[in-house]
Amino acid sequence: MPDRGGGPTGPRIRVGRPSRRVRTLLMTLGVLAVLGMAFTMFAGFWTDWLWYRSVNYSSVFTTTLWTKIGLFFVFGLLMALAVGFNIWLAHRLRPPLSAMSMEQQNLDRYRMGIAPYKKWLLLGITALVGLIAGASASSQWRTWLMWVNGVPFGQKDPQFQLDVSFYAFDLPWYRFLLGFGFAAAILSVIAAALTHYLYGGLRVTSPGARATAAATGHLSVLIGVFVALKAVAYWLDRYGLAVKSSDFRATDNWTGLRYVDANAYLPAKTILFCIAVICALLFFATIWRRTWQLPVIGFGLMVLSAILIGGLYPAIVQKFQVQPNEQAKEAPYVEKNLEATRKAYGIDGTKVTDYSGTGNTEDKTRLRDDVDSTASIRIMDPNIVSPTFQQLQQIRNYYAFPNNLDVDRYAKNGKEQDTVIGLRELNLAGIPKKNWINNHFRYTHGYGVVAAEGTSADAQGRPNFTESDLPSKGDLGTYEQRVYYGEKTTTYSIVGGPQKEIDYSDDNGEKTTSYKGDSGVNLSNPVNRAAYAVAFGEPQILYSGAIGDGSRILYNRTPKERVEAVAPWLTIDGDAYPAVVNGKIQWIVDAYTTTNGYPYSSRTTLGDTTADSLTATNDNRAVVAQQNQVNYIRNSVKATVDAYTGEVKLYQWDTKDPVLKTWMKAFPDTVEPKSDISKDLMDHLRYPQDLFKVQRELLTRYHVKDATTFLSGSEVWQVPDDPTNRSGSAVPPYYLSMKMPDQQAQSFSLTTTFTPTGRDNLSAFMAVDAEAGTSDYGKIRILKLPTNTTVNGPKQVQSQFNSQEDIAESIRLLRGGDSEVEYGNLLTVPLDGGLLYVEPVYVRGGGLKYPLLRKVLVTYGGQTAFENTLDEALNKVFGADGATPEPPDSGDTTPPPTSDNPTVQQALEDAQKAFDAGQEALKENDWEAYGRAQKDLEDALQRAEDAQAEESRTGGAGGGESKPSAPPSGSPSPKPSS
C-alpha cells in the first residue's frame, strides 16, 4: 500500500532486536509470572480443599465446586455459541460488494484490517462473553441446587393453588433462565447487527435499501426470540404477583396480591402475554415476507398495550374502585397475607391472652411468696458483668472474656438455676512480647469455663462463682478445659510440632503443652506449607524451623465462621454460646433456613429486625447475612463446635422444614438426625434470640387476626427502646426462668415487652418457652393489656426510678467521686395480674475498674423499693418483714396542705382536677384523654377512701366511717360513638 501520510521523509532508523540473553530473560520472567499467578490461584483452591477435608465436610466443597464449574461451562458455552453462531451467520449472509458508496469505502478499511484475524477475533469475542456469562451463572449455584432438589411444602397459595415450593424453588430458577435468555438475545442482536453493518448487510447512509433480505430475516428472527421471551416473562409475572413486595398503608413490607393485582394486573399480564406471542410470530414471519412493516406495527402495539393495559388501567382501578372503599376491597387479600405471614414466620400458634396489668390480690404476704415460685429473677446481667469476670477471673493478661457473656442452665443441688457463663479465651493483645513465634506458636489457646449464679451476688456485689480459678474448678465437674476455638480467636495458630505451647500459669510457673487433637491441616507436606505461605502471605511458614513433624495449622476458629463455612446454605444466629457437654466445652450455634419466596408472606430484612442495643455496641452479636430479605424462617439446625478439636456437627432440629429437606438432598450426610442429640446437649439447647427478635417484630402488627383491625392500625405495637442506656436501639430480649399465668411451673423463657406506637406505656408482654426438649418448646404467649387503662412501660418505669427523690439522692451518692452507675437488664415478670419490674444497679469506680452489684430496684403496683439486695427490695415492696413500701411517685414534691384531714383533702382536690379534665376531654371528643382522666378520678377517690379508713382506725381527726365526699355530681360515663 502506498504511503499516504504526506509527512516528511528521512532516513529510517532500524531498531535492533533484543539480544538472545534479553529475550531469554524476558521469557523467563514471563513464565515465572504466569507460574506465580497460577500457584496463587492453586494455593487458594488447595488450602480450601485441605480445610474442608480437615473438618470432614469435603462433600460440601466438592458439591459446591462441581456445581459452580458445571454452571460456568454450560451457560458460558451456551452464551458463546449463541453469540458466536450469530456473528458467523451474519458474516455468511453478507452481500457481495458492488457499487461502493462512501459509507462502504470507509468500512472497507476496517474489513481489510480484520480480515487476517477474523477467526481469532470471533474466538476472542465468544470467549469473552462466555467467561462473563459463565461467571454470572456459577453464582447461581444455590438457585440450581434448590430447583433440582426441591421438595414440596404441602401447602398451596390461595390464588393459583400451586405448592409453595414452586415459588421458593422453581420460580427463582425460571427467572434466572429467562434473564439469561434475554442477555443472549440482546447480545446476539447487537453482534449480528454490527456484523451485518460491517459487511454491508445494513446500510445507514448508502442509497437504496437499508437492509438486505438476509439481514432482515436474520435480525427479525432474533428480535422475535426476544419478544417470545418477553411473552414468557409476562406469563411468569402472573405468578410473581404472589411474591411481589409493595408499599401498603398497613405495612411497608407487604407481599402478595392486593385487589388491584388480582383484578387489574393479573388480567393485564395475561392479555400482554397473548399480544407478545402474536408479535413474536409476526417477527418470525418476516423470513418469508421480507418486510418489517407488520412486526414493527405489532411491536409498537405491544409497547402501547403495556403502557395502557399494564400501567394506566391498574391505576384507574386503584383510584376509582379501591380507594373509595379500600377496607372492603382489600380485606380478603389482607386475610391471606395475615395467614401466610403468621405461618411463614412460625407465629401462627401464638397464644394471645388479655391481662389486666393490675394486681388482683391485696394479700402482700402471699404475693411475696408467689414471687419466688413465679420467677428466678436474674440480677447478674451478662451484658454488664463481663469486666467483673475479667478482673476477678482473667488470671493472666493473655486471657479475656467476650464483651457479652451468656445465660444457660446448670443444676446445683439437684435444682436447675440460671447461670451466667463465659470462657477464658486467648487474648493476643495481652501477650507480654509480641512476635511471630509468640503470636502463632506459643500462645495458642484459652483455658477453662467461668460461671456464676444468675440470681445472686456476694456481700460485696461480686458474682457468686460456681466455676472459677485456673485451672477452673467447681460445679461443672471434669472436662477438657483448653479452648482452641472461640469467639475471640480470630488468628491462626500452628500447633503440635516441635514448638511447645504455653498451657497456663500457676504459682509454680508456666505449664506447657502440645496439641494432641486432629484438628487443622498437617504442615509436614512442603506443598501444603508453600500453599499456606502464599494464601496467608506469611513466607516464614515455608521455611521456619518451628514447623516440623506433627505441626498443624488451625484457622477459621470462631464458631459462627466454622458453621457458616461447612453449611453455606444456612443463616447463622448472632449469639453462639458455650456449654459443658459430656466432658467437653461445646459452642452451640443456632442456624436458620430461609427463603424470600413464600407467597403472600411479608418480607423483613434480618439486619434490621435483629438489631437491638447489644448489636449496636457489639458487631459480634449481629446475625450473619444481615442484608438478607426473607419472608420465611425456621430454626432448622442446631450446630455444635468443639472448643478443643474444632469438630463441627449439624443436627436436624425442625424435622418438617421443606427447605432443610431440600438442602439435605443437595448435601447428603452433612446433617445428623435429631435423635443423635444427647440428653446432656439437649439440656443446654435453647430458643434462639435472632429468631425471637424477628418474630417479635412481626408480631407488632401480626398479632391481630382480622383484616379490619389490621387495616385500621389501631393495634400496632412497637418494641421499646432500651431504657438502661442511650443507644436509642431496641431493648434486647432477656432469658429468664419464669412461669406465665397459664403455666404450672417455671420454664426457661425468652421475654420482651411491647408499647403502643409512639407511646411509652405498656401494651403487651411476650414470652416464648425456650426449654428445648419439652412439649411447650417454642410456644409463644402474649399477655395483652387493656387499651383503656395505662400501665407503665419500661421507659416510664425507668423514669419513675430516676425521678423518685430518695432514689435519685441514693444514686447521686453512689456516683460520688469518680464512680459510674450502670443499670442492668430491666426484667419484667407477670405476677397476679400485675407486672413486677426488677433492675439491678451496678457501680464502677472508687478505685475499682469493674462493676459491682450495689442496689436492686423493684416496683409493683405503684410501690417502689431501692435496696441492697433483691430480697430486701421485694420485702419492702410487698410489706413483708415489717418493711414499709415507698409510696408511688406522683411527680409532685410539694407537701400536702395541712388541715384536719390533709391526706383526704389532697385526694379530693386531685379528684376534682381529674373530673374537670374529663369534662374538657368530652368537649374536645378526646376519648384517650377522657379515659386517663377517669382513671385518675378513680385513683384519687380510692386514695381518699383509704386515707379516711386509716384515720378512723387510728383514731385521728375526722374519725368515723363516713365516706369521703365525691366531686360534683354529674360525672358522665359515656361510651365513644363509632
Side-chain angles (χ1 to χ4, degrees):
M1 295 289 291
D3 182 8
R4 303 183 186 218
T9 60
R12 296 183 179 180
I13 301 175
R14 296 178 60 87
V15 179
R17 295 179 62 190
S19 66
R20 180 178 298 177
R21 179 179 298 177
V22 172
R23 293 200 305 272
T24 302
L25 178 61
L26 292 175
M27 185 176 297
T28 302
L29 292 175
V31 170
L32 289 176
V34 171
L35 290 176
M37 294 175 60
F39 189 78
T40 300
M41 296 174 62
F42 166 79
F45 163 81
W46 185 243
T47 54
D48 285 346
W49 159 249
L50 291 174
W51 187 86
Y52 276 97
R53 191 175 65 174
S54 73
V55 293
N56 299 317
Y57 282 90
S58 55
S59 62
V60 174
F61 179 81
T62 54
T63 299
T64 304
L65 177 66
W66 286 117
T67 302
K68 289 179 178 179
I69 290 174
L71 292 172
F72 177 86
F73 280 104
V74 169
F75 286 94
L77 187 60
L78 286 174
M79 183 65 77
L81 287 175
V83 175
F85 172 76
N86 282 286
I87 293 175
W88 173 84
L89 184 60
H91 180 266
R92 182 73 179 269
L93 297 175
R94 67 190 184 280
L97 297 177
S98 54
M100 298 290 287
S101 65
M102 184 62 66
E103 179 184 23
Q104 295 303 314
Q105 289 179 13
N106 291 332
L107 290 173
D108 189 53
R109 67 182 66 179
Y110 295 107
R111 289 192 286 264
M112 294 179 64
I114 66 174
Y117 311 106
K118 284 191 294 187
K119 290 183 179 179
W120 292 107
L121 187 61
L122 177 63
L123 289 175
I125 292 173
T126 55
L128 178 62
V129 296
L131 286 172
I132 295 173
S136 176
S138 66
S139 66
Q140 298 294 321
W141 64 271
R142 290 181 177 86
T143 308
W144 161 260
L145 288 176
M146 293 183 79
W147 178 69
V148 77
N149 295 289
V151 301
F153 274 67
Q155 304 167 19
K156 294 184 178 181
D157 79 282
Q159 181 67 40
F160 302 102
Q161 295 301 307
L162 294 174
D163 191 88
V164 172
S165 61
F166 171 80
Y167 301 93
F169 306 142
D170 299 344
L171 190 58
W173 178 250
Y174 297 154
R175 281 176 165 168
F176 163 71
L177 292 178
L178 187 63
F180 178 83
F182 275 126
I186 292 171
L187 289 175
S188 296
V189 167
I190 294 172
L194 289 175
T195 306
H196 280 300
Y197 176 71
L198 181 63
Y199 287 96
L202 293 177
R203 306 181 182 96
V204 178
T205 60
S206 300
R210 291 286 182 262
T212 64
T216 300
H218 183 197
L219 293 177
S220 294
V221 170
L222 291 178
I223 297 174
V225 170
F226 176 85
V227 176
L229 290 173
K230 187 62 180 174
V232 176
Y234 282 133
W235 189 256
L236 286 181
D237 285 347
R238 298 169 68 254
Y239 303 109
L241 292 172
V243 290
K244 182 194 72 171
S245 289
S246 60
D247 291 337
F248 191 36
R249 68 184 181 89
T251 170
D252 293 334
N253 297 304
W254 175 272
T255 301
L257 282 82
R258 292 156 52 190
Y259 180 89
V260 69
D261 297 313
N263 296 277
Y265 281 111
L266 187 56
K269 296 292 184 183
T270 305
I271 294 171
L272 290 172
F273 163 75
C274 297
I275 295 174
V277 169
I278 296 172
C279 187
L281 293 175
L282 291 176
F283 273 105
F284 293 144
T286 307
I287 298 176
W288 297 279
R289 292 181 55 85
R290 304 296 184 181
T291 175
W292 277 348
Q293 185 177 5
L294 282 179
V296 168
I297 293 174
F299 188 79
L301 288 175
M302 187 182 76
V303 173
L304 183 62
S305 300
I307 296 172
L308 296 178
I309 301 175
L312 184 60
Y313 173 61
I316 293 173
V317 171
Q318 178 69 24
K319 178 70 174 178
F320 295 101
Q321 291 189 31
V322 178
Q323 288 185 4
N325 192 15
E326 185 176 37
Q327 187 158 308
K329 295 291 187 183
E330 299 289 12
Y333 303 96
V334 171
E335 289 176 357
K336 296 174 184 178
N337 176 269
L338 284 170
E339 181 181 358
T341 302
R342 290 169 63 85
K343 188 176 294 183
Y345 287 95
I347 57 178
D348 50 330
T350 300
K351 181 181 179 182
V352 180
T353 307
D354 290 335
Y355 193 73
S356 66
T358 56
N360 301 320
T361 303
E362 295 184 2
D363 186 349
K364 300 293 188 179
T365 303
R366 187 176 73 78
L367 281 177
R368 175 63 184 91
D369 295 337
D370 286 348
V371 172
D372 294 332
S373 61
T374 300
S376 298
I377 298 174
R378 179 172 45 75
I379 56 176
M380 281 291 115
D381 186 345
N383 308 307
I384 295 289
V385 299
S386 178
T388 308
F389 273 50
Q390 185 84 358
Q391 186 68 26
L392 301 179
Q393 289 295 321
Q394 178 186 21
I395 312 298
R396 293 291 182 268
N397 288 337
Y398 47 83
Y399 295 133
F401 293 92
N403 294 333
N404 303 101
L405 304 178
D406 291 288
V407 178
D408 202 348
R409 296 92 66 214
Y410 286 90
K412 184 172 184 178
N413 299 324
K415 181 181 178 182
E416 273 200 352
Q417 65 174 8
D418 293 356
T419 302
V420 176
I421 186 172
L423 299 189
R424 195 182 285 112
E425 296 187 40
L426 178 66
N427 175 32
L428 288 179
I431 293 177
K433 184 179 181 181
K434 293 184 178 181
N435 54 54
W436 190 65
I437 294 294
N438 279 346
N439 291 354
H440 300 288
F441 289 82
R442 287 182 56 76
Y443 295 92
T444 59
H445 60 278
Y447 207 98
V449 173
V450 176
E453 295 179 5
T455 56
S456 67
D458 68 11
Q460 286 76 43
R462 299 175 301 186
N464 278 323
F465 291 107
T466 57
E467 185 80 9
S468 59
D469 299 334
L470 185 68
S472 296
K473 55 184 177 291
D475 296 344
L476 301 186
T478 303
Y479 57 94
E480 173 56 66
Q481 298 199 19
R482 297 174 182 87
V483 181
Y484 282 87
Y485 295 87
E487 291 180 303
K488 298 179 73 68
T489 315
T490 56
T491 188
Y492 71 89
S493 290
I494 299 176
V495 299
Q499 179 66 59
K500 290 292 184 180
E501 311 161 44
I502 294 177
D503 204 19
Y504 65 90
S505 301
D506 59 16
D507 294 338
N508 297 321
E510 290 183 346
K511 308 291 184 182
T512 60
T513 188
S514 187
Y515 185 67
K516 299 297 190 297
D518 58 358
S519 182
V521 177
N522 196 317
L523 291 180
S524 299
N525 187 326
V527 175
N528 292 357
R529 293 176 66 171
Y532 278 102
V534 172
F536 286 7
E538 290 281 8
Q540 296 178 85
I541 294 177
L542 183 61
Y543 55 79
S544 174
I547 302 175
D549 291 340
S551 291
R552 311 182 71 85
I553 185 168
L554 314 180
Y555 61 105
N556 288 353
R557 298 170 72 182
T558 66
K560 291 192 292 185
E561 190 177 34
R562 292 179 79 77
V563 174
E564 185 184 22
V566 303
W569 35 274
L570 291 174
T571 299
I572 312 302
D573 189 90
D575 184 26
Y577 61 98
V580 176
V581 179
N582 297 320
K584 300 176 181 178
I585 301 174
Q586 297 281 352
W587 287 98
I588 300 175
V589 183
D590 286 286
Y592 309 109
T593 49
T594 62
T595 180
N596 67 353
Y598 196 102
Y600 275 97
S601 174
S602 291
R603 289 187 172 90
T604 186
T605 303
L606 291 180
D608 295 336
T609 53
T610 59
D612 59 26
S613 61
L614 297 183
T615 61
T617 57
N618 186 357
D619 291 339
N620 290 333
R621 295 297 289 264
V623 65
V624 175
Q626 294 185 59
Q627 300 308 311
N628 279 13
Q629 267 211 336
V630 305
N631 67 353
Y632 171 94
I633 185 170
R634 289 292 185 273
N635 177 213
S636 296
V637 172
K638 300 285 189 180
T640 61
V641 177
D642 192 294
Y644 181 74
T645 66
E647 180 185 25
V648 181
K649 287 188 176 181
L650 308 176
Y651 296 98
Q652 183 182 16
W653 185 247
D654 190 331
T655 57
K656 298 180 180 179
D657 177 30
V659 181
L660 178 60
K661 291 179 180 178
T662 296
W663 287 119
M664 290 175 68
K665 281 183 63 180
F667 296 97
D669 302 323
T670 56
V671 181
E672 300 183 23
K674 187 175 183 179
S675 57
D676 285 1
I677 299 177
S678 67
K679 182 185 182 305
D680 201 6
L681 175 58
M682 184 70 76
D683 290 341
H684 296 283
L685 299 182
R686 67 188 191 188
Y687 201 82
Q689 292 189 62
D690 285 332
L691 176 60
F692 183 80
K693 287 189 280 188
V694 170
Q695 290 174 328
R696 75 171 178 179
E697 181 64 31
L698 268 295
L699 282 167
T700 59
R701 302 186 305 275
Y702 287 91
H703 62 277
V704 301
K705 296 183 179 180
D706 63 286
T708 302
T709 307
F710 185 82
L711 285 168
S712 71
S714 61
E715 290 288 329
V716 176
W717 301 336
Q718 66 182 12
V719 179
D721 291 342
D722 191 345
T724 65
N725 60 52
R726 298 179 181 178
S727 67
S729 301
V731 62
Y734 296 125
Y735 286 106
L736 182 68
S737 289
M738 56 164 288
K739 68 176 181 179
M740 293 288 275
D742 65 332
Q743 291 180 291
Q744 299 301 314
Q746 293 183 22
S747 66
F748 193 61
S749 304
L750 194 53
T751 65
T752 193
T753 53
F754 295 109
T755 59
T757 300
R759 295 169 59 193
D760 295 325
N761 56 289
L762 198 67
S763 57
F765 174 82
M766 172 181 170
V768 64
D769 195 317
E771 192 81 44
T774 61
S775 58
D776 276 354
Y777 172 83
K779 184 174 183 178
I780 300 174
R781 297 176 173 89
I782 292 180
L783 302 180
K784 183 176 178 293
L785 279 74
T787 56
N788 60 348
T789 61
T790 301
V791 178
N792 285 343
K795 186 175 181 180
Q796 292 172 321
V797 170
Q798 188 70 49
S799 178
Q800 179 182 341
F801 285 160
N802 296 338
S803 62
Q804 282 197 212
E805 187 175 347
D806 57 338
I807 295 178
E809 178 63 19
S810 298
I811 290 177
R812 188 186 67 80
L813 293 174
L814 290 174
R815 286 197 174 115
D818 59 351
S819 298
E820 296 179 5
V821 171
E822 298 183 33
Y823 294 101
N825 38 220
L826 180 57
L827 301 176
T828 309
V829 178
L831 178 67
D832 189 52
L835 292 162
L836 174 69
Y837 285 97
V838 179
E839 182 178 63
V841 178
Y842 299 84
V843 176
R844 183 202 300 251
L848 296 176
K849 299 180 180 179
Y850 55 95
L852 296 175
L853 181 66
R854 291 303 190 199
K855 293 285 186 179
V856 179
L857 283 162
V858 174
T859 185
Y860 180 84
Q863 306 294 340
T864 302
F866 185 60
E867 301 299 323
N868 295 329
T869 67
L870 176 61
D871 283 339
E872 291 176 3
L874 290 171
N875 290 340
K876 187 169 184 179
V877 162
F878 294 107
D881 298 335
T884 302
E886 294 288 345
D889 182 26
S890 64
D892 184 4
T893 59
T894 304
T898 58
S899 67
D900 289 343
N901 195 340
T903 305
V904 174
Q905 183 66 30
Q906 181 64 50
L908 290 177
E909 289 178 6
D910 293 341
Q912 181 65 52
K913 292 178 183 177
F915 173 78
D916 294 340
Q919 295 303 300
E920 289 296 324
L922 282 176
K923 293 177 183 178
E924 300 293 334
N925 287 326
D926 188 343
W927 301 109
E928 184 177 341
Y930 176 77
R932 290 198 301 269
Q934 290 295 98
K935 178 66 169 58
D936 292 342
L937 176 60
E938 181 182 348
D939 290 344
L941 291 175
Q942 185 63 48
R943 281 192 284 116
E945 183 176 352
D946 292 345
Q948 193 166 35
E950 175 65 18
E951 189 170 290
S952 298
R953 185 181 65 81
T954 58
E961 297 298 327
S962 62
K963 293 280 185 179
S965 58
S969 61
S971 176
S973 300
K975 299 292 184 183
S977 58
S978 60

